[in-house]
Amino acid sequence: MGSTAARTYLAFHHNAKLYKLSAVVSAITPFPALEEANKLLFKKGTDNDFAIVTDQTIFHPQGGGQPSDEGVMTMGDVSVFRVSMVRMDAVKDGQVLHFGRFDSSASSSIFQLGDTVEQSIDVEKRLLYSRLHTAGHVLGAAVRHLLEKEIPGFDELKASHFPDTAACEFQGSIEGKWKEPIQQKVDEYIDKAMPVEVDFWDEEDFRKNGLERLIPDRSLAPPGEKFRVVKIVGAEVYPCGGTHVDTTNLCGKTTVKKISRNKGTSRVSYAVN
């Protein structure tokens, strides 16, 4: 089994509407044989699980605040591999690990190196995660628009787009009185059906757009490749590897739930219907 795999091509970076894809198995490792750092990526892993690498993938790995896609990989009617967690390999740069198990433990059901398999993601979950991710960017843009000049040292820090814990964190203390204005600005951006566009920028593109503050760490893009950015046209640009809806209205009703403050930072939680 083992591995000689190169970087995994992230097909979802270029087309988030690919819900099925043929891919070639480039590595397959029983869970117990994984490096410790990779075992830690899949806390539910057992002796019955495997980690599979393919040459390309439509599965978004957990990261950047977005949950992992789930789904299946199949080969004919015989082999079904249920993908329950996807993560970037902690040891091998740029490889995507698909964690899960086969429906049958018979050796004839287990993929071999070089097999062509059909990947299918859980579309309902993907659409929810995409709505949440775009809504998080809309919220971040709304807060920046309202408060960048109002709050000393304001900055956007990090975000979680998980269904039950979605929130954006900011440098600076955002008082409760801002909850309603933030909600109104979020509603405005969503009602405008602003286009959400994916682009690829180098450092010079960030500078040309006056966005030096957003230039990512060079290690976040493969050598010689540009950084992926997501533009909410008319609002903000974010370096982002996540999946999104095409226009902001597709987020659906987005509710600002609560503003909490702690040691000079503020957390604005939100939900989509």
Side-chain angles (χ1 to χ4, degrees):
M1 290 192 178
S3 161
T4 53
R7 297 182 76 92
T8 308
Y9 178 78
L10 307 178
F12 61 84
H13 265 184
H14 304 272
N15 182 357
K17 292 202 186 74
L18 275 178
Y19 302 140
K20 288 185 183 296
L21 180 72
S22 285
V24 176
V25 174
S26 52
I28 175 165
T29 309
F31 188 78
L34 284 170
E35 303 93 337
E36 281 310 312
N38 281 328
K39 285 183 185 170
L40 292 172
L41 299 176
F42 184 42
K43 302 224 172 9
K44 295 180 183 163
T46 70
D47 289 358
N48 299 318
D49 292 296
F50 289 83
I52 291 179
V53 180
T54 49
D55 64 331
Q56 55 179 343
T57 188
I58 48 170
F59 286 87
H60 183 288
Q62 181 178 310
Q66 183 168 326
S68 161
D69 279 327
E70 296 173 32
V72 294
M73 292 194 222
T74 56
M75 193 172 66
D77 300 327
V78 187
S79 301
V80 179
F81 181 74
R82 300 200 179 272
V83 179
S84 51
M85 172 62 77
V86 185
R87 299 293 299 266
M88 294 306 297
D89 193 306
V91 180
K92 300 181 189 77
D93 190 39
Q95 287 189 18
V96 175
L97 298 176
H98 305 80
F99 293 103
R101 64 181 57 177
F102 290 93
D103 276 3
S104 163
S105 58
S107 58
S108 59
S109 301
I110 293 173
F111 303 153
Q112 303 297 315
L113 290 181
D115 283 347
T116 297
V117 298
E118 177 90 3
Q119 297 181 341
S120 306
I121 58 168
D122 183 322
V123 177
E124 206 170 299
K125 282 185 176 162
R126 159 65 70 81
L127 290 174
L128 173 61
Y129 301 157
S130 298
R131 287 171 57 218
L132 279 159
H133 204 142
T134 303
H137 286 228
V138 167
L139 173 62
V143 173
R144 177 174 286 280
H145 182 92
L146 288 168
L147 300 179
E148 187 170 24
K149 295 187 171 64
E150 299 281 339
I151 292 177
F154 175 86
D155 201 4
E156 292 176 72
L157 299 176
K158 59 183 180 178
S160 165
H161 312 295
F162 281 67
D164 299 322
T165 56
C168 298
E169 291 185 23
F170 303 90
Q171 188 68 46
S173 183
I174 302 174
E175 294 170 31
K177 69 178 182 183
W178 287 106
K179 182 168 179 263
E180 196 44 49
I182 292 169
Q183 182 67 65
Q184 287 171 2
K185 183 55 79 174
V186 166
D187 291 346
E188 178 194 321
Y189 282 168
I190 283 178
D191 292 345
K192 274 186 180 169
M194 295 164 144
V196 181
E197 296 177 354
V198 169
D199 203 351
F200 290 86
W201 284 9
D202 58 20
E203 283 89 343
E204 191 50 39
D205 293 316
F206 285 96
R207 290 192 192 97
K208 277 192 304 212
N209 286 278
L211 294 170
E212 289 95 328
R213 64 181 168 80
L214 293 179
I215 294 175
D217 184 325
R218 189 61 254 176
S219 67
L220 294 175
E225 286 190 24
K226 296 184 175 186
F227 299 104
R228 186 175 185 265
V229 296
V230 172
K231 298 191 259 191
I232 297 178
V233 178
E236 289 286 329
V237 178
Y238 292 94
C240 181
T243 63
H244 290 270
V245 291
D246 287 340
T247 50
T248 54
N249 57 308
L250 296 174
C251 295
K253 175 64 182 165
T254 300
T255 305
V256 179
K257 285 164 57 179
K258 188 178 155 195
I259 302 174
S260 52
R261 291 164 293 283
N262 182 31
K263 296 178 183 163
T265 64
S266 302
R267 190 169 191 274
V268 183
S269 58
Y270 72 96
V272 299
N273 280 0

